[in-house]
Amino acid sequence: MHFGGIYEDETVGKIYDRRLMGRFVGYVAPYRRLIVVALLLLPFIAASKLAQPWILKMAIDSHITKGVMAGLPSLATGFLGIILAESLFSFAEVYLLQYVGQKVMYDIRVQLFSHLQRLSARFFDQTPVGSLVSRLTSDIEVVGEMFAAGIVTVVGDVLVLAGIVGIMLWMNVRLSLVTFSVLPLLIWVAFTFRNWMRVAFRQVRSRQANLSAFLAESIGGMAVVQLFNRERDEAREFRRLNSSYMEANLPVITWDAALYAVVESLSSIAVALIIWYGGGEIVKGNLSFGALVAFIQYIEKFFSPIRDMSAKYSVMQGAMASLERIFGLLDKEGKEPESKPQPPGPSAPAPKQGLQQICFKDIWFAYSDEDYVLKGFSLEMRRGEKVALVGETGGGKTTVTRLLSRLYEINRGSIAIDGVDIREMSLQSLRRRIGVVLQDPYLFSGTIEYNISLGDPEALQRVEQAAAMVGADRFIRELPKGYQEEVRERGVNFSAGERQLISFARAVAFDPEILVLDEATASVDTASERLIQQGLEGLMQGRTTLVVAHRLSTIRDADRIVVIHRGEKAEEGTHAELMSAKALYYRLYQLQFKD
Amino acid sequence: MLNCRGAYILGAVLLVGTNLCGLAIPWLMKLAIEGLQAPTSQGRFTPAQYGGMIAVAAVAQGVIRVFSRTTLLNAGRRIEFLLREDLYGKLLTLDRTYFSNWRTGDILSRLANDLTNVRMLLGFGVLSLLNTVVVYTAALFLLTRISPFLTICAIAPFPLMIYIVKRLSASMFRCSKRMQEALSRLTARVEENVSAASVVKAYCREEGEIETFRQACGGYLEASMGVARLRGWMLPVMASTGAFGTLIVLFIGGGQVIRGELTLGGFVAFNGYLAMLVWPTIMFGWILNLMQRGAASMTRLGEILHASAEVVEPDEPVDPGVIEGGIEYRNLTFSYGTAKMLRGINLKIRKGERIGIVGVVGSGKSTLVRLIPRLFPIADGTLFVDGIDLNRISLDKVRSAVGFVPQESFLFSRSIADNIGYGKPGATREEIERAARIAGLAGDIARFPQGFETLVGERGVTLSGGQKQRVAIARALIKEPSILILDDPLSAVDADTEEEILSALSGYYGERTVLIVSHRLSPLRGCDRIIVMEQGAIVEQGNHAELLELGGRYEAIHREEQLKAEIERL
Ligand SMILES: Nc1ncnc2c1ncn2[C@@H]1O[C@H](COP(=O)(O)OP(=O)(O)OP(=O)(O)O)[C@@H](O)[C@H]1O
Ligand SMILES: Nc1ncnc2c1ncn2[C@@H]1O[C@H](COP(=O)(O)OP(=O)(O)OP(=O)(O)O)[C@@H](O)[C@H]1O
Ligand SMILES: [Mg+2]
Ligand SMILES: [Mg+2]
């Protein structure tokens, strides 16, 4: 058994640093003031760093070698002051940059999340929850690490580096050139490693997503795993994913270690070169002794920002790999369709008047490719009508209700409300008119009240009324905290029927013009069902209702019954008409009430 | 974990090696400088030779460095791997009670983000700590060789630093924990939002969802800044401690050189070693930070690792041999929380008997049947299978004897064949097809372009309600259990398909004990006995005719269904 199938996250594509970075800078730009402040601090930090060996050199050259003690205390005081200043500046620096980093992460997160809200139902059908979770959490964390590692201070490192190079050149050009001779090797290494690192990091990120997807699913299905004694198999599968994640990390560690070692060794080799070369110069009398010592100190200083940068290098490559994934999701096609709102003219709908008519015209629809689920389905519903959809399971009833809410785009045909194509309405205004009881009720963690109102202020007013209408108030009132009773994730602390009633109450509380009941009472007992029907009778007046039901007793009073068979409308008419036609409906009916 | 200890020891040895090379370099420098200062005297090597030696040491240092780092960091990864495995292994043993108290997103966050913190501590943290310790000891050793007095002066500021850092650490732990909790909440928000995409869309809740997400992000931002503040303080404390040392040395050591108590070369080397300490000292602050974060995260992981399942394997399992399927509830009382859900259930089901269960919403039907595969804990001596207390039979045995179709079908995002085959490891295609046929799925599957290989999406989202339900039935049937439990198995299926399934099932039942929960009476046709539940108690039982005669609740349900049928016939 192989987890995930087509869902397995794959890593593809070339490396586009410039574009990625450019785009990322766009997120940082709003905080440029803070960054500028942080950058302004850098010269001070750099200067205080640079001044320290300089003071040492002065101390050695003009005091210690000469045996002059006077003036040393003031040098020491200066040294102390510089250190204190450096500390304060670094604190401000770290804090500011962390703040910017957190803000940027916040912005990216909220943007990504908002984007997710606009993606189509089809996208959610195909994307595992866990992998989206991993993008919104760990991937963004990795980007944040870039700030924690102080990516912005690279500017500072470069500055320090430039300063040191300047001083070194000023002190002694030839010694400097000898020192710099090791750099080409370093640059070559950095560039060679870049691609390898990135490829490795991409693999790390996508395998982490797989792990997270597996885990999320597995937690949801733990009861099934346990019921079927499949713990060992799941553990094996988990181990496979876990170890492939670990293995993806190993090359990253190797490249990183190699880069670190190269930088470290090169700094010592530079010292060796200087001793070899500078030693000769001293012997020849071309170089002062203090200058050589100070120069060696500067080599240390010269390599310290390089070492810093190389440490950030791999963090940055990791962040780039995560940015690719984040931007990849942001660029994801398959957004929900934008509406083409009609110009406010004579043809604009007049919502005040209320809904008059819904018209499905020759709908062709396939979830994928050419595999049509609905084939030329047509249906007309008028104001106040109750239309029932019945038929074989998998026939396409739920699909019809989804198309009405425009969760999916139809391939051919049209759905119009009062003569206006739903593609010309905004999704918001369309969906606000429809109250759906989904076939699989979903409850959020929160309170019962929240689950009925979903935080909508208007619906909040009608919570109790709605619950009473669907007969949910009976069990809610018996709960210790009533409507404030806690609902756990997915409503696990309620029975299936109770969940369904709450979800039914939700649809009613939103007071929609069109009520869509997709098997809304499938998990409810017959007596409660009758109570619901009585409760709803008043509500359905003046509203258009589309009922999907297998239990034919629920639809006895429908104005019209439509039988869907394999995506096509097989029969349509009132109960009496269909009974006398003695076809599909008649057969279903006979089966259900045969004794 | 043992081979990890080996890796740590090897890594530590390599680290000592690389640091020895590293320390040799300033030592060689010292010799070289002393040689240059007095070119004529006992200088044994030329500057070029010194340079060569330094270069050799540098290359050696680099090579060993690669090995030490990879050894240690890989060990960190390895432990992360093992820890994650343990965590998942633990999750597999936990029961429903546990999972209903935890949010999925929280668990996900712990297994990703908290584990990362722990790994950072065990990989990078340990590496840096070892490095720091090695560098410190070596440098201190060399420093005392040059001048014990100056050494004491140089490390004089350290106790103060340790004191400050200790103060900061405790708050670091608290702040880190708060930050991880905030991240958990954020993760849970995402998880829930994505899972509920269809509801969010249907009710246009996008704006509201974004708003609550924004709040979760804001909470996280705030918590993170708390940590950043502390981190910010750590850095200057560390940096200035090192620098104070240098300052003292400069002041006192300089005097010593002037007075001729110390050679200049010695002084330069001393400063060199001291400079080597600056970086590790700063690192040390960072390690402390990592340690606190790691510790905070580890406590959070500990909450999973030390969670105890309430449904546990018996201490001394009784081997029932083959479970035949006799079930007895003996004065069973059960509660999910404090309120009693099932009270005083007495029910004896003979092997091979078929029991129907009806009752209003929330009357405890699902609860009653869930207890048989021990999804929830029960008291000893209340539930017996084949006359043996259920709590004394190993979970494995019980569960392999029970075929369970939950009221809500959960499918895995695998193919239909894999989902059906889930009930029986290594099931052949024939067996899968047979189970699918009994469950009335054959027609649907034949219509799918990819047939049995069709992928069903997470939780089976790309199937219709009835298809999902039937896959779940097939999954239980393929197991060939001696006890078959069907919790409202045909609620999403039309009358035609229902008829088809029921007649196929009646051939399948054979000697099996069967419990069917249903709201409609049609699936209960052919049951030997029907049980009516109300408020967690059995209020009526008997066969169809007896119950009708009794004229109680069952009769009312029956009348209701018939009444509707009559009205229609008119
Ligand atoms: N999200 C989806 N992606 C791909 N295919 C789907 C999706 N949802 C449903 N289908 C397929 O479309 C067909 C019709 O499904 P639909 O849910 O509309 O049936 P239904 O009439 O509601 O059935 P039921 O009575 O079982 O709920 C089924 O064959 C199903 O497998
Ligand atoms: N995991 C749980 N934690 C706490 N309470 C629960 C839990 N599961 C169910 N309950 C409560 O126990 C009662 C009985 O639930 P149960 O699922 O057994 O009812 P049921 O008879 O199967 O109802 P339905 O017909 O709706 O399926 C309900 O009131 C429900 O709120
Ligand atoms: Mg459906
Ligand atoms: Mg139930």
Side-chain angles (χ1 to χ4, degrees):
Chain A
M1 195 177 303
H2 188 69
F3 159 74
I6 52 163
Y7 301 141
E8 200 121 354
D9 205 307
E10 260 316 313
T11 55
V12 277
K14 278 200 215 146
I15 291 173
Y16 295 115
D17 278 349
R18 201 101 47 78
R19 228 185 288 165
L20 269 181
M21 223 35 206
R23 201 162 162 189
F24 180 63
V25 166
Y27 288 92
V28 185
Y31 306 101
R32 53 180 171 268
R33 289 235 182 85
L34 292 178
I35 296 216
V36 167
V37 173
L39 288 182
L40 283 179
L41 286 172
L42 282 177
F44 292 100
I45 298 173
S48 47
K49 274 200 183 126
L50 286 176
Q52 288 165 31
W54 185 252
I55 291 180
L56 270 183
K57 174 182 154 32
M58 289 217 312
I60 294 175
D61 269 3
S62 52
H63 293 273
I64 296 172
T65 38
K66 296 207 180 101
V68 188
M69 214 26 193
L72 203 53
S74 57
L75 270 185
T77 323
F79 195 70
L80 190 67
I82 285 171
I83 287 163
L84 282 179
E86 190 196 334
S87 300
L88 278 180
F89 290 145
S90 338
F91 171 74
E93 169 87 22
V94 167
Y95 190 75
L96 270 179
L97 291 181
Q98 278 282 325
Y99 182 71
V100 172
Q102 288 294 332
K103 278 294 215 189
V104 168
M105 278 159 72
Y106 175 95
D107 292 345
I108 296 183
R109 234 183 220 128
V110 171
Q111 192 197 1
L112 196 57
F113 187 84
S114 311
H115 176 76
L116 218 51
Q117 308 307 305
R118 316 250 133 74
L119 287 176
S120 64
R122 192 171 258 129
F123 170 82
F124 288 100
D125 286 350
Q126 292 166 355
T127 318
V129 174
S131 114
L132 290 176
V133 167
S134 110
R135 283 196 210 207
L136 269 145
T137 57
S138 359
D139 273 325
I140 294 184
E141 288 298 297
V142 171
V143 175
E145 253 169 49
M146 206 158 51
F147 285 93
I151 202 71
V152 181
T153 54
V154 163
V155 182
D157 290 333
V158 171
L159 256 152
V160 172
L161 204 56
I164 292 173
V165 167
I167 295 177
M168 284 166 85
L169 282 172
W170 174 68
M171 279 170 62
N172 191 317
V173 177
R174 268 175 303 158
L175 283 186
S176 308
L177 291 181
V178 171
T179 311
F180 303 154
S181 67
V182 300
L183 288 185
L185 180 63
L186 181 61
I187 292 168
W188 178 78
V189 166
F191 273 87
T192 324
F193 280 11
R194 191 188 67 158
N195 285 6
W196 294 343
M197 267 188 181
R198 183 71 64 78
V199 169
F201 267 122
R202 281 176 174 173
Q203 208 134 70
V204 168
R205 299 312 312 155
S206 72
R207 289 185 183 174
Q208 156 115 52
N210 290 342
L211 203 53
S212 161
F214 178 85
L215 199 56
E217 182 173 38
S218 180
I219 293 170
M222 196 55 83
V224 175
V225 174
Q226 292 173 347
L227 277 171
F228 288 91
N229 275 330
R230 298 301 292 266
E231 290 95 334
R232 234 164 287 132
D233 304 83
E234 295 298 312
R236 196 177 325 115
E237 183 63 18
F238 186 76
R239 185 173 312 134
R240 186 180 73 76
L241 291 165
N242 193 8
S243 69
S244 89
Y245 172 65
M246 178 184 73
E247 275 153 23
N249 274 298
L250 302 186
V252 172
I253 293 173
T254 310
W255 304 136
D256 187 44
L259 189 62
Y260 184 91
V262 165
V263 172
E264 191 179 51
S265 300
L266 282 183
S267 77
S268 298
I269 287 174
V271 170
L273 284 175
I274 288 302
I275 287 185
W276 161 71
Y277 181 79
E281 296 286 292
I282 289 182
V283 173
K284 281 189 234 146
N286 290 346
L287 190 68
S288 87
F289 187 68
L292 183 71
V293 172
F295 208 89
I296 289 174
Q297 291 257 333
Y298 273 106
I299 292 179
E300 296 264 301
K301 291 273 164 186
F302 173 71
F303 274 95
S304 134
I306 293 182
R307 193 166 41 206
D308 276 7
M309 284 196 279
S310 78
K312 286 165 200 164
Y313 196 69
S314 62
V315 174
M316 200 171 110
Q317 296 308 320
M320 289 290 197
S322 286
L323 276 177
E324 282 177 358
R325 294 169 60 79
I326 293 166
F327 291 150
L329 182 54
L330 275 176
D331 296 341
K332 191 88 200 168
E333 302 270 324
K335 258 201 177 176
E336 280 207 279
E338 296 294 335
S339 54
K340 299 166 256 163
Q342 288 232 321
S347 61
K352 289 274 142 51
Q353 218 184 316
L355 173 123
Q356 299 299 329
Q357 184 200 42
I358 303 170
C359 184
F360 289 73
K361 207 153 128 203
D362 196 26
I363 306 281
W364 284 76
F365 172 76
Y367 284 102
S368 59
D369 305 330
E370 292 289 293
D371 184 19
Y372 284 101
V373 170
L374 292 180
K375 305 164 196 151
F377 177 80
S378 298
L379 174 67
E380 207 169 303
M381 294 162 71
R382 271 177 301 281
R383 181 193 179 98
E385 233 185 349
K386 176 176 171 184
V387 175
L389 283 180
V390 300
E392 197 189 19
T393 126
K397 302 177 295 296
T398 301
T399 307
V400 170
T401 68
R402 287 180 185 150
L403 293 182
L404 178 61
S405 298
R406 210 172 160 214
L407 286 171
Y408 299 84
E409 284 292 297
I410 42 183
N411 300 42
R412 262 181 280 158
S414 71
I415 302 173
I417 296 180
D418 293 341
V420 183
D421 194 304
I422 57 167
R423 281 169 290 201
E424 283 163 10
M425 302 176 190
S426 77
L427 282 175
Q428 179 107 1
S429 67
L430 170 69
R431 290 181 186 161
R432 281 238 170 252
R433 305 174 86 169
I434 306 171
V436 195
V437 182
L438 297 170
Q439 190 168 13
D440 293 310
Y442 186 98
L443 298 194
F444 293 87
S445 44
T447 59
I448 291 189
E449 186 185 78
Y450 175 79
N451 270 289
I452 296 179
S453 69
L454 294 182
D456 184 278
E458 277 179 44
L460 197 60
Q461 305 286 319
R462 288 187 287 261
V463 166
E464 299 197 9
Q465 192 193 344
M469 235 180 242
V470 301
D473 62 334
R474 265 183 311 143
F475 80 87
I476 297 174
R477 266 190 276 115
E478 275 174 32
L479 296 169
K481 286 195 229 144
Y483 287 87
Q484 301 306 324
E485 185 75 17
E486 186 196 359
V487 177
R488 306 254 169 79
E489 199 168 76
R490 286 176 180 268
V492 286
N493 54 338
F494 288 92
S495 85
E498 289 165 346
R499 281 197 289 268
Q500 196 158 46
L501 291 178
I502 294 173
S503 132
F504 203 149
R506 180 190 293 163
V508 172
F510 275 76
D511 192 25
E513 286 177 273
I514 305 165
L515 201 56
V516 176
L517 310 177
D518 191 358
E519 296 285 358
T521 51
S523 305
V524 175
D525 56 286
T526 337
S528 311
E529 192 177 18
R530 181 166 43 87
L531 289 177
I532 296 172
Q533 278 180 358
Q534 285 165 0
L536 285 183
E537 246 156 45
L539 182 83
M540 285 183 183
Q541 299 282 314
R543 263 171 247 265
T544 312
T545 316
L546 184 61
V547 192
V548 177
H550 287 306
R551 245 190 271 180
L552 300 182
S553 56
T554 22
I555 54 161
R556 65 189 157 103
D557 56 344
D559 299 306
R560 216 139 27 91
I561 295 165
V562 175
V563 183
I564 295 190
H565 190 69
R566 311 223 167 135
E568 285 169 89
K569 183 157 74 181
E571 288 170 43
E572 179 170 359
T574 61
H575 173 75
E577 284 164 12
L578 294 181
M579 286 306 277
S580 54
K582 296 217 175 0
L584 273 172
Y585 182 79
Y586 175 79
R587 189 177 130 74
L588 282 174
Y589 200 86
Q590 290 301 319
L591 280 170
Q592 209 162 97
F593 299 104
K594 74 176 176 192
D595 53 10
Chain B
M1 293 271 178
L2 265 182
N3 54 352
C4 286
R5 191 184 306 161
Y8 276 120
I9 292 170
L10 176 64
V13 170
L14 287 171
L15 253 183
V16 172
T18 181
N19 282 307
L20 281 182
C21 295
L23 290 168
I25 291 167
W27 191 258
L28 287 169
M29 270 164 60
K30 175 188 178 236
L31 292 180
I33 290 172
E34 280 171 356
L36 283 170
Q37 209 176 11
T40 47
S41 68
Q42 74 294 44
R44 278 181 293 151
F45 300 104
T46 63
Q49 282 170 324
Y50 277 120
M53 283 191 273
I54 293 178
V56 169
V59 170
Q61 183 190 16
V63 171
I64 307 176
R65 173 74 74 195
V66 172
F67 284 107
S68 70
R69 272 178 92 89
T70 47
T71 310
L72 284 172
L73 294 181
N74 289 357
R77 283 286 174 189
R78 173 112 197 115
I79 292 186
E80 178 196 17
F81 167 83
L82 293 172
L83 199 52
R84 186 177 277 122
E85 191 124 309
D86 281 357
L87 283 162
Y88 184 70
K90 183 73 197 191
L91 289 178
L92 282 171
T93 67
L94 293 174
D95 51 37
R96 293 266 293 245
T97 322
Y98 179 87
F99 286 104
S100 69
N101 286 323
W102 282 65
R103 316 240 339 230
T104 309
D106 186 15
I107 300 176
L108 284 181
S109 179
R110 285 174 202 240
L111 263 80
N113 306 312
D114 285 297
L115 206 48
T116 301
N117 284 351
V118 172
R119 184 246 309 157
M120 290 272 268
L121 171 64
L122 293 177
F124 228 77
V126 168
L127 170 77
S128 313
L129 189 67
L130 281 177
N131 212 3
T132 313
V133 169
V134 170
V135 171
Y136 263 109
T137 4
L140 280 180
F141 172 72
L142 291 170
L143 286 173
T144 42
R145 288 277 309 271
I146 299 174
S147 165
F149 174 65
L150 269 189
T151 311
I152 291 172
C153 296
I155 60 170
F158 279 73
L160 181 67
M161 172 200 88
I162 290 171
Y163 172 73
I164 298 176
V165 161
K166 251 201 150 142
R167 297 282 309 265
L168 288 179
S169 288
S171 359
M172 196 67 160
F173 181 87
R174 256 178 289 120
C175 288
S176 300
K177 193 145 183 246
R178 209 172 303 142
M179 176 172 151
Q180 292 308 116
E181 280 161 6
L183 188 55
S184 263
R185 270 195 295 277
L186 190 152
T187 312
R189 283 292 325 136
V190 176
E191 197 273 337
E192 195 164 60
N193 171 272
V194 174
S195 310
S198 55
V199 182
V200 172
K201 285 186 196 312
Y203 288 89
C204 296
R205 294 308 304 159
E206 289 89 351
E207 291 311 316
E209 286 290 299
I210 293 171
E211 190 44 46
T212 46
F213 183 70
R214 221 184 264 281
Q215 280 164 14
C217 287
Y220 179 57
L221 184 138
E222 226 158 81
S224 309
M225 285 320 293
V227 172
R229 217 168 358 248
L230 285 173
R231 251 184 69 154
W233 281 121
M234 213 75 114
L235 188 75
V237 168
M238 294 298 162
S240 38
T241 314
F244 268 120
T246 317
L247 180 73
I248 296 172
V249 167
L250 175 68
F251 207 55
I252 299 176
Q256 286 187 330
V257 173
I258 293 168
R259 287 192 297 276
E261 290 164 19
L262 190 66
T263 65
L264 184 60
F267 181 70
V268 171
F270 196 92
N271 269 311
Y273 291 132
L274 217 49
M276 284 175 61
L277 287 186
V278 172
W279 184 244
T281 309
I282 294 175
M283 277 307 263
F284 191 60
W286 191 74
I287 296 166
L288 280 168
N289 171 19
L290 274 188
M291 271 163 64
Q292 294 307 321
R293 273 178 68 168
S297 287
M298 200 57 219
T299 15
R300 281 164 52 77
L301 292 180
E303 285 170 22
I304 296 180
L305 286 173
H306 302 137
S308 49
E310 285 178 56
V311 177
V312 287
E313 289 285 351
D315 295 330
E316 296 160 36
V318 177
D319 185 8
V322 178
I323 292 184
E324 303 206 322
I327 301 168
E328 187 184 354
Y329 291 84
R330 217 177 272 170
N331 202 13
L332 177 139
T333 299
F334 175 83
S335 59
Y336 285 107
T338 42
K340 279 209 178 78
M341 188 48 243
L342 293 181
R343 29 193 140 199
I345 302 280
N346 281 299
L347 179 64
K348 202 162 175 178
I349 302 168
R350 289 185 313 278
K351 146 180 188 276
E353 206 177 358
R354 292 177 209 167
I355 304 286
I357 304 171
V358 295
V360 296
V361 163
S363 54
K365 307 178 291 297
S366 301
T367 309
L368 186 75
V369 294
R370 263 180 209 153
L371 299 181
I372 298 173
R374 288 190 68 195
L375 286 178
F376 286 93
I378 42 169
D380 284 343
T382 50
L383 186 51
F384 298 80
V385 166
D386 288 350
I388 305 168
D389 188 341
L390 196 59
N391 281 351
R392 304 197 50 197
I393 310 177
S394 75
L395 284 172
D396 237 32
K397 272 262 186 255
V398 179
R399 289 181 178 159
S400 54
V402 174
F404 194 97
V405 181
Q407 199 165 7
E408 268 187 19
S409 336
F410 180 96
L411 303 186
F412 292 95
S413 58
R414 303 174 187 177
S415 68
I416 292 184
D418 282 346
N419 266 295
I420 297 177
Y422 199 78
K424 183 173 181 184
T428 62
R429 182 45 70 97
E430 285 69 48
E431 288 171 309
I432 291 176
E433 280 172 11
R434 176 165 170 266
R437 213 166 30 247
I438 301 175
L441 264 175
D444 295 76
I445 292 173
R447 254 172 278 133
F448 292 142
Q450 277 135 318
F452 277 96
E453 296 314 317
T454 309
L455 290 166
V456 305
E458 254 188 350
R459 289 178 183 257
V461 282
T462 61
L463 294 184
S464 85
Q467 287 164 346
K468 252 187 294 193
Q469 202 165 39
R470 285 172 292 150
V471 172
I473 296 176
R475 178 173 67 189
L477 297 183
I478 200 172
K479 205 169 165 182
E480 304 274 349
S482 38
I483 302 171
L484 182 64
I485 300 172
L486 306 158
D487 193 350
D488 214 359
L490 301 169
S491 64
V493 170
D494 61 280
D496 210 351
T497 315
E498 176 177 311
E499 199 53 40
E500 188 188 323
I501 298 173
L502 285 174
S503 64
L505 271 180
S506 61
Y508 173 88
Y509 288 157
E511 286 295 278
R512 301 175 218 278
T513 308
V514 182
L515 285 90
I516 311 179
V517 178
S518 178
H519 283 300
R520 284 180 281 167
L521 300 187
S522 49
L524 306 185
R525 240 179 289 129
C527 279
D528 302 318
R529 192 148 41 117
I530 290 168
I531 286 161
V532 183
M533 292 201 63
E534 197 170 286
Q535 300 201 335
I538 296 174
V539 288
E540 289 173 20
Q541 57 176 306
N543 63 29
H544 180 70
E546 287 165 4
L547 286 174
L548 281 187
E549 201 155 317
L550 189 69
R553 292 170 185 83
Y554 181 83
E555 197 266 344
I557 300 170
H558 184 75
R559 187 150 34 86
E560 184 101 31
E561 285 195 358
Q562 290 308 305
L563 190 67
K564 281 177 180 162
E566 287 313 315
I567 291 168
E568 296 310 317
R569 289 217 175 86
L570 288 176

